[in-house]
Amino acid sequence: MSQISGPLAVDAGEQSTGPADGDGSLYFASQRRLIIRRFRRHRLAVLGTVVVVLIYLVALFAEFLAPGVPDSSDARYAYAPPQRLHLFDGGRLDPHVYGYQTRVNDETLERSYVPDRAQKIDVGLFVRGEPYQLWGLIGSDIHLVGPVQRDAPFHLLGADRQGRDVLTRTIYGARISMSIGLVGVGLSVILGILLGGASGYYGGRVDTLVQRLIEFFMAIPSIPLWLGLAAALPPSWGPVQTYLGITVILSLISWTDLARVVRGRFLSLRSEDFVLAAELDGIGKPRIILRHMLPSFASHIIASLTLAIPAMILAETALSFLGLGLQAPAVSWGVLLQEAQNIRALATAPWLLFPGVAVIIAVLALNFAGDGLRDSADPYGS
């Protein structure tokens, strides 16, 4: 047999080398591998995912990572400003902060704080401090960072009006604010997929009933609906019960958009050949919906998920900020931002706005990660 020569030989050789990056195995790669490969090339998405993972780790180990406990207060340091962390002393590594010296204005009687150079407070790792229960199970008093002197003032991000550490309370607040997004989105996605899928797949009376229910929820303004449902929670409920109630409320409000999208896609997919083939093969309807129809538009579901979590966080923060969501002694970013509603906070204690910075960082990171996941879910696209 004669050998192929000329341009055809060159073309055949180039074809045998695989893609431009030289990885010929991508021709036979699974969809999961293609998704992971494309996600890694999205730098903002990778950065956002790292930040999100770090935030959830902080929320998971809040007791250990926080320098204190959230309810510990000292009226002597009300509205104390952030302390500057000094890493070196005399050319050698010696982490420390300086204590506070209080001054009172003779005319206005306003109290102010200045660093007290005579009071040096050593800062260390794995120091003993106030006792806590990790996850409510493991008792300990070891904190990752804190003052070596157990009762010394230590407020890297300042203190609130009761002398409570803002950094500690922000770390603890991440637990509720970040978990309410996951729980709430999980419930809303389940409702959206089940009701929207049933509406689009079965049609008829089921479709009419579900669509009228969606239109009813969408016709009510969201803010008055939040206010009404949040006010309906019994005032005698504890923080945990209120947390679950707020989560259910947010889930009941946010499922309608996803349900309509799922309905539209199911209406277009139920007449496709692969759905008809699955029905003729005797596959049950729930399996057809979950294994064949839903994966066909997974990218949109992923995008809805990742955009809904920041929306849940912002909704909880707004409700708590308005005094209609979680209330003290619960600690969330929205509850902490209630402290910033007065003129004193904005004028003389701007560090009380730091929980708002945490909200911004978390929302941006989730959006970046979601954008990358959405694009990666369609690895064969451009």
Side-chain angles (χ1 to χ4, degrees), residues 47-66:
L47 177 61
T49 302
V50 171
V51 173
V52 169
V53 171
L54 290 177
I55 292 176
Y56 276 108
L57 288 176
V58 168
L60 185 62
F61 298 99
E63 294 88 351
F64 169 68
L65 296 175

Side-chain angles (χ1 to χ4, degrees), residues 44-120:
L44 278 179
V46 173
L47 177 61
T49 302
V50 171
V51 173
V52 169
V53 171
L54 290 177
I55 292 176
Y56 276 108
L57 288 176
V58 168
L60 185 62
F61 298 99
E63 294 88 351
F64 169 68
L65 296 175
V69 294
D71 296 328
S72 178
S73 62
D74 192 339
R76 295 176 299 172
Y77 304 109
Y79 290 118
Q83 294 170 300
R84 179 182 175 185
L85 179 63
H86 302 269
L87 297 178
F88 299 93
D89 185 13
R92 62 185 180 87
L93 182 64
D94 183 18
H96 65 278
V97 296
Y98 292 110
Y100 294 105
Q101 184 178 3
T102 306
R103 293 180 180 177
V104 179
N105 190 304
D106 295 335
E107 297 180 358
T108 63
L109 300 180
E110 181 182 1
R111 183 171 58 178
S112 61
Y113 299 92
V114 294
D116 185 3
R117 298 284 177 174
Q119 185 184 2
K120 179 183 175 182

Side-chain angles (χ1 to χ4, degrees), residues 265-329:
R265 295 303 300 267
F266 271 45
L267 285 174
S268 62
L269 289 174
R270 66 180 183 179
S271 59
E272 293 288 337
D273 292 341
F274 71 93
V275 175
L276 296 176
E279 292 176 348
L280 293 175
D281 203 29
I283 299 177
K285 293 183 178 179
R287 183 178 176 87
I288 293 175
I289 293 175
L290 297 176
R291 295 294 300 274
H292 298 278
M293 300 179 74
L294 280 179
S296 64
F297 57 101
S299 60
H300 183 87
I301 295 177
I302 292 173
S304 300
L305 280 171
T306 53
L307 292 176
I309 293 177
M312 285 281 185
I313 295 174
L314 292 175
E316 181 275 326
T317 302
L319 286 177
S320 299
F321 177 77
L322 295 173
L324 297 169
L326 296 173
Q327 300 295 320

